[in-house]
Amino acid sequence: MNFHQYYPVDVINGEGTRCTLFVAGCEHQCRGCYNQSTLPLDSGQVFDKLMEDRIIADLNDMRIIRRGLSLSGGDPLHPANVSAVLALVNRVRRECTKKDIWLWTGYKLSNLTMEQQAIVALLDVLIDGKFEQSLANPSLLWKGSSNQVIYRLTPA
């Protein structure tokens, strides 16, 4: 898996102060996508153990308390990203107690593969659906277009 950007302190992509990772690779090609540079799978930098270790350390850093991890892109549920994202969310669950995990995907919850569903089972919040430029609304919280759905998978 590759990634484009990592923000160790982010207050935009989910509730509270968070760590946010933007992965590379998206097959949806949504018209008007604000993250077009993340669409090619081979773009960005390689996501390696050092980057994974940094995310875990940042989530556990008591100097700046983070509520959790946000995963966006690109698409974290792109088939080429699934194994690395699953490993990361499993590690967050094991080593970062009481941190929540949010994930944005263009895939619909009802159409996910078994591998993608394994990731969703570990999430607290899933925002699904392709960005639809004709339904875009900048006043929406946590989503770009009104067709997208926010699923709270665990109690807040």
Side-chain angles (χ1 to χ4, degrees), residues 17-60:
T17 301
R18 319 186 60 72
C19 296
T20 299
L21 181 70
F22 288 89
V23 303
C26 184
E27 61 187 5
H28 304 299
Q29 307 294 313
C30 301
R31 215 172 109 234
C33 174
Y34 76 97
N35 256 348
Q36 297 227 354
S37 65
T38 67
L39 301 183
L41 274 170
D42 61 353
S43 61
Q45 321 169 50
V46 173
F47 183 81
D48 58 13
K49 175 115 170 51
L50 286 175
M51 191 65 225
E52 186 176 293
D53 290 346
R54 180 176 174 199
I55 291 170
I56 298 300
D58 288 341
L59 285 168
N60 287 323

mmCIF file of all heavy atoms in Angstrom, residues 17-60:
data_model
loop_
_atom_site.group_PDB
_atom_site.id
_atom_site.type_symbol
_atom_site.label_atom_id
_atom_site.label_comp_id
_atom_site.label_asym_id
_atom_site.label_seq_id
_atom_site.Cartn_x
_atom_site.Cartn_y
_atom_site.Cartn_z
ATOM 1 N N THR A 17 -9.552 15.506 18.153
ATOM 2 C CA THR A 17 -8.204 15.550 17.585
ATOM 3 C C THR A 17 -7.828 14.129 17.192
ATOM 4 O O THR A 17 -8.032 13.186 17.956
ATOM 5 C CB THR A 17 -7.211 16.100 18.629
ATOM 6 O OG1 THR A 17 -7.655 17.408 19.011
ATOM 7 C CG2 THR A 17 -5.806 16.188 18.060
ATOM 8 N N ARG A 18 -7.275 13.977 15.976
ATOM 9 C CA ARG A 18 -7.069 12.652 15.405
ATOM 10 C C ARG A 18 -5.738 12.557 14.688
ATOM 11 O O ARG A 18 -5.117 13.566 14.383
ATOM 12 C CB ARG A 18 -8.174 12.339 14.380
ATOM 13 C CG ARG A 18 -9.558 12.791 14.806
ATOM 14 C CD ARG A 18 -10.649 12.366 13.876
ATOM 15 N NE ARG A 18 -10.738 10.913 13.755
ATOM 16 C CZ ARG A 18 -11.197 10.112 14.707
ATOM 17 N NH1 ARG A 18 -11.603 10.611 15.849
ATOM 18 N NH2 ARG A 18 -11.240 8.820 14.534
ATOM 19 N N CYS A 19 -5.351 11.348 14.362
ATOM 20 C CA CYS A 19 -4.306 11.061 13.375
ATOM 21 C C CYS A 19 -5.046 10.684 12.095
ATOM 22 O O CYS A 19 -6.020 9.927 12.147
ATOM 23 C CB CYS A 19 -3.444 9.890 13.812
ATOM 24 S SG CYS A 19 -2.494 10.169 15.315
ATOM 25 N N THR A 20 -4.610 11.220 10.967
ATOM 26 C CA THR A 20 -5.299 10.941 9.708
ATOM 27 C C THR A 20 -4.308 10.505 8.644
ATOM 28 O O THR A 20 -3.296 11.167 8.425
ATOM 29 C CB THR A 20 -6.075 12.187 9.220
ATOM 30 O OG1 THR A 20 -7.049 12.536 10.213
ATOM 31 C CG2 THR A 20 -6.781 11.915 7.904
ATOM 32 N N LEU A 21 -4.644 9.385 7.984
ATOM 33 C CA LEU A 21 -3.828 8.828 6.908
ATOM 34 C C LEU A 21 -4.636 8.820 5.621
ATOM 35 O O LEU A 21 -5.755 8.313 5.589
ATOM 36 C CB LEU A 21 -3.412 7.394 7.262
ATOM 37 C CG LEU A 21 -2.540 6.676 6.237
ATOM 38 C CD1 LEU A 21 -1.137 7.295 6.189
ATOM 39 C CD2 LEU A 21 -2.469 5.181 6.556
ATOM 40 N N PHE A 22 -4.042 9.417 4.572
ATOM 41 C CA PHE A 22 -4.647 9.403 3.239
ATOM 42 C C PHE A 22 -3.889 8.398 2.386
ATOM 43 O O PHE A 22 -2.726 8.622 2.053
ATOM 44 C CB PHE A 22 -4.569 10.796 2.600
ATOM 45 C CG PHE A 22 -5.501 11.794 3.223
ATOM 46 C CD1 PHE A 22 -5.090 12.552 4.309
ATOM 47 C CD2 PHE A 22 -6.784 11.970 2.745
ATOM 48 C CE1 PHE A 22 -5.937 13.473 4.906
ATOM 49 C CE2 PHE A 22 -7.646 12.878 3.330
ATOM 50 C CZ PHE A 22 -7.218 13.646 4.411
ATOM 51 N N VAL A 23 -4.537 7.292 2.057
ATOM 52 C CA VAL A 23 -3.899 6.231 1.281
ATOM 53 C C VAL A 23 -4.011 6.520 -0.213
ATOM 54 O O VAL A 23 -4.825 7.336 -0.645
ATOM 55 C CB VAL A 23 -4.507 4.850 1.600
ATOM 56 C CG1 VAL A 23 -4.406 4.538 3.081
ATOM 57 C CG2 VAL A 23 -5.939 4.743 1.111
ATOM 58 N N ALA A 24 -3.193 5.823 -0.990
ATOM 59 C CA ALA A 24 -3.233 5.932 -2.459
ATOM 60 C C ALA A 24 -4.103 4.811 -3.015
ATOM 61 O O ALA A 24 -4.189 3.728 -2.446
ATOM 62 C CB ALA A 24 -1.824 5.838 -3.030
ATOM 63 N N GLY A 25 -4.736 5.099 -4.140
ATOM 64 C CA GLY A 25 -5.484 4.083 -4.856
ATOM 65 C C GLY A 25 -6.975 4.229 -4.715
ATOM 66 O O GLY A 25 -7.526 4.121 -3.630
ATOM 67 N N CYS A 26 -7.630 4.506 -5.845
ATOM 68 C CA CYS A 26 -9.093 4.586 -5.869
ATOM 69 C C CYS A 26 -9.551 4.273 -7.284
ATOM 70 O O CYS A 26 -9.046 4.849 -8.244
ATOM 71 C CB CYS A 26 -9.571 5.964 -5.447
ATOM 72 S SG CYS A 26 -11.377 6.074 -5.366
ATOM 73 N N GLU A 27 -10.508 3.373 -7.397
ATOM 74 C CA GLU A 27 -11.028 3.010 -8.709
ATOM 75 C C GLU A 27 -12.338 3.708 -9.039
ATOM 76 O O GLU A 27 -12.874 3.543 -10.122
ATOM 77 C CB GLU A 27 -11.187 1.490 -8.821
ATOM 78 C CG GLU A 27 -12.148 0.888 -7.832
ATOM 79 C CD GLU A 27 -12.154 -0.637 -7.871
ATOM 80 O OE1 GLU A 27 -11.336 -1.227 -8.602
ATOM 81 O OE2 GLU A 27 -12.983 -1.223 -7.168
ATOM 82 N N HIS A 28 -12.847 4.532 -8.144
ATOM 83 C CA HIS A 28 -14.162 5.150 -8.346
ATOM 84 C C HIS A 28 -14.136 6.311 -9.340
ATOM 85 O O HIS A 28 -15.132 6.547 -10.012
ATOM 86 C CB HIS A 28 -14.755 5.595 -7.014
ATOM 87 C CG HIS A 28 -14.845 4.495 -6.019
ATOM 88 N ND1 HIS A 28 -15.594 3.360 -6.212
ATOM 89 C CD2 HIS A 28 -14.229 4.323 -4.822
ATOM 90 C CE1 HIS A 28 -15.459 2.551 -5.180
ATOM 91 N NE2 HIS A 28 -14.628 3.122 -4.320
ATOM 92 N N GLN A 29 -13.020 7.037 -9.386
ATOM 93 C CA GLN A 29 -12.865 8.148 -10.336
ATOM 94 C C GLN A 29 -14.040 9.129 -10.266
ATOM 95 O O GLN A 29 -14.601 9.522 -11.289
ATOM 96 C CB GLN A 29 -12.711 7.614 -11.769
ATOM 97 C CG GLN A 29 -11.625 6.571 -11.945
ATOM 98 C CD GLN A 29 -10.225 7.123 -11.711
ATOM 99 O OE1 GLN A 29 -9.881 8.170 -12.215
ATOM 100 N NE2 GLN A 29 -9.431 6.404 -10.943
ATOM 101 N N CYS A 30 -14.411 9.543 -9.084
ATOM 102 C CA CYS A 30 -15.541 10.460 -8.891
ATOM 103 C C CYS A 30 -15.241 11.821 -9.516
ATOM 104 O O CYS A 30 -14.192 12.418 -9.254
ATOM 105 C CB CYS A 30 -15.840 10.636 -7.404
ATOM 106 S SG CYS A 30 -16.230 9.107 -6.543
ATOM 107 N N ARG A 31 -16.161 12.305 -10.322
ATOM 108 C CA ARG A 31 -16.018 13.633 -10.902
ATOM 109 C C ARG A 31 -16.053 14.663 -9.782
ATOM 110 O O ARG A 31 -16.910 14.604 -8.906
ATOM 111 C CB ARG A 31 -17.157 13.889 -11.893
ATOM 112 C CG ARG A 31 -16.703 14.711 -13.079
ATOM 113 C CD ARG A 31 -17.762 14.801 -14.162
ATOM 114 N NE ARG A 31 -18.253 16.170 -14.135
ATOM 115 C CZ ARG A 31 -19.511 16.520 -14.010
ATOM 116 N NH1 ARG A 31 -20.451 15.620 -13.948
ATOM 117 N NH2 ARG A 31 -19.848 17.781 -13.967
ATOM 118 N N GLY A 32 -15.081 15.554 -9.765
ATOM 119 C CA GLY A 32 -15.018 16.585 -8.737
ATOM 120 C C GLY A 32 -14.286 16.149 -7.479
ATOM 121 O O GLY A 32 -14.279 16.895 -6.500
ATOM 122 N N CYS A 33 -13.669 14.990 -7.489
ATOM 123 C CA CYS A 33 -12.920 14.508 -6.326
ATOM 124 C C CYS A 33 -11.885 15.551 -5.919
ATOM 125 O O CYS A 33 -11.136 16.057 -6.750
ATOM 126 C CB CYS A 33 -12.220 13.191 -6.673
ATOM 127 S SG CYS A 33 -11.128 12.591 -5.365
ATOM 128 N N TYR A 34 -11.827 15.857 -4.641
ATOM 129 C CA TYR A 34 -10.863 16.861 -4.166
ATOM 130 C C TYR A 34 -9.496 16.254 -3.886
ATOM 131 O O TYR A 34 -8.560 16.970 -3.562
ATOM 132 C CB TYR A 34 -11.404 17.591 -2.937
ATOM 133 C CG TYR A 34 -11.335 16.801 -1.652
ATOM 134 C CD1 TYR A 34 -10.283 16.992 -0.760
ATOM 135 C CD2 TYR A 34 -12.311 15.881 -1.326
ATOM 136 C CE1 TYR A 34 -10.212 16.270 0.411
ATOM 137 C CE2 TYR A 34 -12.239 15.157 -0.154
ATOM 138 C CZ TYR A 34 -11.188 15.358 0.708
ATOM 139 O OH TYR A 34 -11.118 14.638 1.868
ATOM 140 N N ASN A 35 -9.362 14.956 -4.012
ATOM 141 C CA ASN A 35 -8.099 14.286 -3.735
ATOM 142 C C ASN A 35 -7.611 13.501 -4.950
ATOM 143 O O ASN A 35 -7.155 12.371 -4.825
ATOM 144 C CB ASN A 35 -8.276 13.317 -2.555
ATOM 145 C CG ASN A 35 -7.697 13.848 -1.279
ATOM 146 O OD1 ASN A 35 -6.967 14.824 -1.282
ATOM 147 N ND2 ASN A 35 -8.024 13.206 -0.186
ATOM 148 N N GLN A 36 -7.684 14.091 -6.124
ATOM 149 C CA GLN A 36 -7.343 13.383 -7.361
ATOM 150 C C GLN A 36 -5.916 12.844 -7.376
ATOM 151 O O GLN A 36 -5.663 11.819 -7.991
ATOM 152 C CB GLN A 36 -7.570 14.302 -8.559
ATOM 153 C CG GLN A 36 -9.015 14.677 -8.684
ATOM 154 C CD GLN A 36 -9.543 14.543 -10.079
ATOM 155 O OE1 GLN A 36 -8.819 14.277 -11.013
ATOM 156 N NE2 GLN A 36 -10.833 14.728 -10.207
ATOM 157 N N SER A 37 -5.004 13.500 -6.698
ATOM 158 C CA SER A 37 -3.615 13.027 -6.699
ATOM 159 C C SER A 37 -3.480 11.664 -6.023
ATOM 160 O O SER A 37 -2.503 10.956 -6.244
ATOM 161 C CB SER A 37 -2.700 14.041 -6.008
ATOM 162 O OG SER A 37 -3.044 14.152 -4.634
ATOM 163 N N THR A 38 -4.460 11.261 -5.227
ATOM 164 C CA THR A 38 -4.385 9.981 -4.514
ATOM 165 C C THR A 38 -4.955 8.815 -5.310
ATOM 166 O O THR A 38 -4.898 7.677 -4.849
ATOM 167 C CB THR A 38 -5.132 10.056 -3.166
ATOM 168 O OG1 THR A 38 -6.532 10.215 -3.410
ATOM 169 C CG2 THR A 38 -4.613 11.178 -2.289
ATOM 170 N N LEU A 39 -5.500 9.061 -6.497
ATOM 171 C CA LEU A 39 -6.179 7.993 -7.236
ATOM 172 C C LEU A 39 -5.258 6.873 -7.722
ATOM 173 O O LEU A 39 -5.605 5.703 -7.589
ATOM 174 C CB LEU A 39 -6.988 8.584 -8.398
ATOM 175 C CG LEU A 39 -8.067 9.603 -7.999
ATOM 176 C CD1 LEU A 39 -8.850 10.049 -9.229
ATOM 177 C CD2 LEU A 39 -8.994 9.062 -6.938
ATOM 178 N N PRO A 40 -4.067 7.157 -8.284
ATOM 179 C CA PRO A 40 -3.212 6.051 -8.743
ATOM 180 C C PRO A 40 -2.659 5.231 -7.573
ATOM 181 O O PRO A 40 -2.162 5.780 -6.583
ATOM 182 C CB PRO A 40 -2.074 6.750 -9.490
ATOM 183 C CG PRO A 40 -2.574 8.129 -9.790
ATOM 184 C CD PRO A 40 -3.525 8.471 -8.686
ATOM 185 N N LEU A 41 -2.734 3.908 -7.704
ATOM 186 C CA LEU A 41 -2.226 3.014 -6.649
ATOM 187 C C LEU A 41 -0.749 3.202 -6.376
ATOM 188 O O LEU A 41 -0.294 3.065 -5.248
ATOM 189 C CB LEU A 41 -2.453 1.559 -7.051
ATOM 190 C CG LEU A 41 -3.799 0.954 -6.708
ATOM 191 C CD1 LEU A 41 -3.945 -0.395 -7.381
ATOM 192 C CD2 LEU A 41 -3.982 0.850 -5.211
ATOM 193 N N ASP A 42 0.020 3.496 -7.411
ATOM 194 C CA ASP A 42 1.476 3.579 -7.262
ATOM 195 C C ASP A 42 1.964 4.988 -6.935
ATOM 196 O O ASP A 42 3.156 5.249 -6.950
ATOM 197 C CB ASP A 42 2.179 3.052 -8.512
ATOM 198 C CG ASP A 42 1.831 3.847 -9.763
ATOM 199 O OD1 ASP A 42 0.936 4.724 -9.702
ATOM 200 O OD2 ASP A 42 2.443 3.581 -10.811
ATOM 201 N N SER A 43 1.047 5.897 -6.612
ATOM 202 C CA SER A 43 1.451 7.260 -6.276
ATOM 203 C C SER A 43 1.769 7.361 -4.789
ATOM 204 O O SER A 43 1.500 6.454 -4.012
ATOM 205 C CB SER A 43 0.335 8.239 -6.658
ATOM 206 O OG SER A 43 -0.850 7.940 -5.936
ATOM 207 N N GLY A 44 2.373 8.465 -4.409
ATOM 208 C CA GLY A 44 2.699 8.684 -3.004
ATOM 209 C C GLY A 44 3.927 7.912 -2.573
ATOM 210 O O GLY A 44 4.818 7.628 -3.368
ATOM 211 N N GLN A 45 3.952 7.558 -1.296
ATOM 212 C CA GLN A 45 5.090 6.848 -0.701
ATOM 213 C C GLN A 45 4.635 5.485 -0.192
ATOM 214 O O GLN A 45 3.466 5.303 0.128
ATOM 215 C CB GLN A 45 5.628 7.624 0.504
ATOM 216 C CG GLN A 45 5.673 9.105 0.374
ATOM 217 C CD GLN A 45 5.961 9.741 1.723
ATOM 218 O OE1 GLN A 45 6.886 9.360 2.417
ATOM 219 N NE2 GLN A 45 5.167 10.731 2.101
ATOM 220 N N VAL A 46 5.571 4.592 -0.063
ATOM 221 C CA VAL A 46 5.258 3.260 0.453
ATOM 222 C C VAL A 46 4.901 3.348 1.937
ATOM 223 O O VAL A 46 5.594 4.010 2.710
ATOM 224 C CB VAL A 46 6.455 2.302 0.242
ATOM 225 C CG1 VAL A 46 6.216 0.965 0.930
ATOM 226 C CG2 VAL A 46 6.718 2.101 -1.243
ATOM 227 N N PHE A 47 3.811 2.706 2.305
ATOM 228 C CA PHE A 47 3.412 2.601 3.709
ATOM 229 C C PHE A 47 4.171 1.420 4.294
ATOM 230 O O PHE A 47 3.936 0.271 3.942
ATOM 231 C CB PHE A 47 1.904 2.384 3.821
ATOM 232 C CG PHE A 47 1.408 2.344 5.229
ATOM 233 C CD1 PHE A 47 1.188 3.510 5.928
ATOM 234 C CD2 PHE A 47 1.163 1.136 5.862
ATOM 235 C CE1 PHE A 47 0.740 3.486 7.243
ATOM 236 C CE2 PHE A 47 0.705 1.086 7.167
ATOM 237 C CZ PHE A 47 0.488 2.262 7.858
ATOM 238 N N ASP A 48 5.093 1.698 5.194
ATOM 239 C CA ASP A 48 5.949 0.644 5.740
ATOM 240 C C ASP A 48 5.786 0.533 7.253
ATOM 241 O O ASP A 48 4.985 1.250 7.863
ATOM 242 C CB ASP A 48 7.412 0.882 5.355
ATOM 243 C CG ASP A 48 7.944 2.224 5.831
ATOM 244 O OD1 ASP A 48 7.295 2.886 6.674
ATOM 245 O OD2 ASP A 48 9.022 2.625 5.358
ATOM 246 N N LYS A 49 6.545 -0.356 7.854
ATOM 247 C CA LYS A 49 6.468 -0.589 9.300
ATOM 248 C C LYS A 49 6.823 0.672 10.093
ATOM 249 O O LYS A 49 6.218 0.945 11.131
ATOM 250 C CB LYS A 49 7.398 -1.740 9.689
ATOM 251 C CG LYS A 49 7.476 -1.979 11.184
ATOM 252 C CD LYS A 49 6.926 -3.294 11.581
ATOM 253 C CE LYS A 49 7.180 -3.701 13.009
ATOM 254 N NZ LYS A 49 6.836 -2.744 14.028
ATOM 255 N N LEU A 50 7.765 1.459 9.595
ATOM 256 C CA LEU A 50 8.124 2.705 10.287
ATOM 257 C C LEU A 50 6.937 3.658 10.351
ATOM 258 O O LEU A 50 6.696 4.300 11.381
ATOM 259 C CB LEU A 50 9.308 3.377 9.605
ATOM 260 C CG LEU A 50 10.669 2.733 9.821
ATOM 261 C CD1 LEU A 50 11.741 3.428 8.980
ATOM 262 C CD2 LEU A 50 11.047 2.766 11.295
ATOM 263 N N MET A 51 6.191 3.762 9.248
ATOM 264 C CA MET A 51 5.018 4.642 9.232
ATOM 265 C C MET A 51 3.933 4.092 10.151
ATOM 266 O O MET A 51 3.291 4.848 10.896
ATOM 267 C CB MET A 51 4.501 4.778 7.798
ATOM 268 C CG MET A 51 3.465 5.850 7.631
ATOM 269 S SD MET A 51 4.160 7.480 7.941
ATOM 270 C CE MET A 51 2.886 8.161 8.944
ATOM 271 N N GLU A 52 3.737 2.796 10.119
ATOM 272 C CA GLU A 52 2.753 2.173 11.005
ATOM 273 C C GLU A 52 3.137 2.409 12.473
ATOM 274 O O GLU A 52 2.289 2.775 13.296
ATOM 275 C CB GLU A 52 2.668 0.680 10.703
ATOM 276 C CG GLU A 52 1.569 -0.025 11.458
ATOM 277 C CD GLU A 52 1.459 -1.480 11.069
ATOM 278 O OE1 GLU A 52 1.093 -1.764 9.921
ATOM 279 O OE2 GLU A 52 1.747 -2.343 11.943
ATOM 280 N N ASP A 53 4.417 2.232 12.790
ATOM 281 C CA ASP A 53 4.901 2.471 14.154
ATOM 282 C C ASP A 53 4.679 3.922 14.572
ATOM 283 O O ASP A 53 4.329 4.200 15.727
ATOM 284 C CB ASP A 53 6.391 2.137 14.275
ATOM 285 C CG ASP A 53 6.688 0.648 14.181
ATOM 286 O OD1 ASP A 53 5.757 -0.176 14.287
ATOM 287 O OD2 ASP A 53 7.877 0.309 13.992
ATOM 288 N N ARG A 54 4.885 4.839 13.652
ATOM 289 C CA ARG A 54 4.685 6.263 13.961
ATOM 290 C C ARG A 54 3.222 6.549 14.297
ATOM 291 O O ARG A 54 2.935 7.287 15.253
ATOM 292 C CB ARG A 54 5.140 7.130 12.784
ATOM 293 C CG ARG A 54 4.951 8.591 13.054
ATOM 294 C CD ARG A 54 5.486 9.468 11.961
ATOM 295 N NE ARG A 54 5.128 10.853 12.258
ATOM 296 C CZ ARG A 54 5.115 11.809 11.379
ATOM 297 N NH1 ARG A 54 5.471 11.578 10.128
ATOM 298 N NH2 ARG A 54 4.765 13.035 11.719
ATOM 299 N N ILE A 55 2.309 5.973 13.536
ATOM 300 C CA ILE A 55 0.882 6.178 13.809
ATOM 301 C C ILE A 55 0.526 5.653 15.197
ATOM 302 O O ILE A 55 -0.148 6.338 15.977
ATOM 303 C CB ILE A 55 0.018 5.510 12.715
ATOM 304 C CG1 ILE A 55 0.190 6.257 11.387
ATOM 305 C CG2 ILE A 55 -1.453 5.470 13.127
ATOM 306 C CD1 ILE A 55 -0.416 5.545 10.184
ATOM 307 N N ILE A 56 1.004 4.460 15.519
ATOM 308 C CA ILE A 56 0.717 3.875 16.835
ATOM 309 C C ILE A 56 1.304 4.763 17.939
ATOM 310 O O ILE A 56 0.627 5.046 18.946
ATOM 311 C CB ILE A 56 1.266 2.438 16.918
ATOM 312 C CG1 ILE A 56 0.587 1.530 15.885
ATOM 313 C CG2 ILE A 56 1.132 1.882 18.341
ATOM 314 C CD1 ILE A 56 -0.919 1.403 16.009
ATOM 315 N N ALA A 57 2.529 5.214 17.759
ATOM 316 C CA ALA A 57 3.160 6.087 18.762
ATOM 317 C C ALA A 57 2.385 7.390 18.913
ATOM 318 O O ALA A 57 2.166 7.866 20.038
ATOM 319 C CB ALA A 57 4.619 6.361 18.376
ATOM 320 N N ASP A 58 1.966 7.980 17.804
ATOM 321 C CA ASP A 58 1.208 9.230 17.873
ATOM 322 C C ASP A 58 -0.135 9.026 18.580
ATOM 323 O O ASP A 58 -0.553 9.866 19.382
ATOM 324 C CB ASP A 58 0.983 9.812 16.473
ATOM 325 C CG ASP A 58 2.255 10.383 15.861
ATOM 326 O OD1 ASP A 58 3.223 10.672 16.600
ATOM 327 O OD2 ASP A 58 2.276 10.540 14.610
ATOM 328 N N LEU A 59 -0.815 7.923 18.281
ATOM 329 C CA LEU A 59 -2.094 7.656 18.938
ATOM 330 C C LEU A 59 -1.923 7.477 20.442
ATOM 331 O O LEU A 59 -2.821 7.807 21.219
ATOM 332 C CB LEU A 59 -2.760 6.419 18.329
ATOM 333 C CG LEU A 59 -3.392 6.619 16.956
ATOM 334 C CD1 LEU A 59 -3.756 5.272 16.336
ATOM 335 C CD2 LEU A 59 -4.611 7.529 17.030
ATOM 336 N N ASN A 60 -0.786 6.959 20.865
ATOM 337 C CA ASN A 60 -0.526 6.722 22.289
ATOM 338 C C ASN A 60 0.203 7.872 22.981
ATOM 339 O O ASN A 60 0.443 7.806 24.185
ATOM 340 C CB ASN A 60 0.262 5.416 22.459
ATOM 341 C CG ASN A 60 -0.610 4.210 22.220
ATOM 342 O OD1 ASN A 60 -1.781 4.202 22.589
ATOM 343 N ND2 ASN A 60 -0.054 3.188 21.587
#
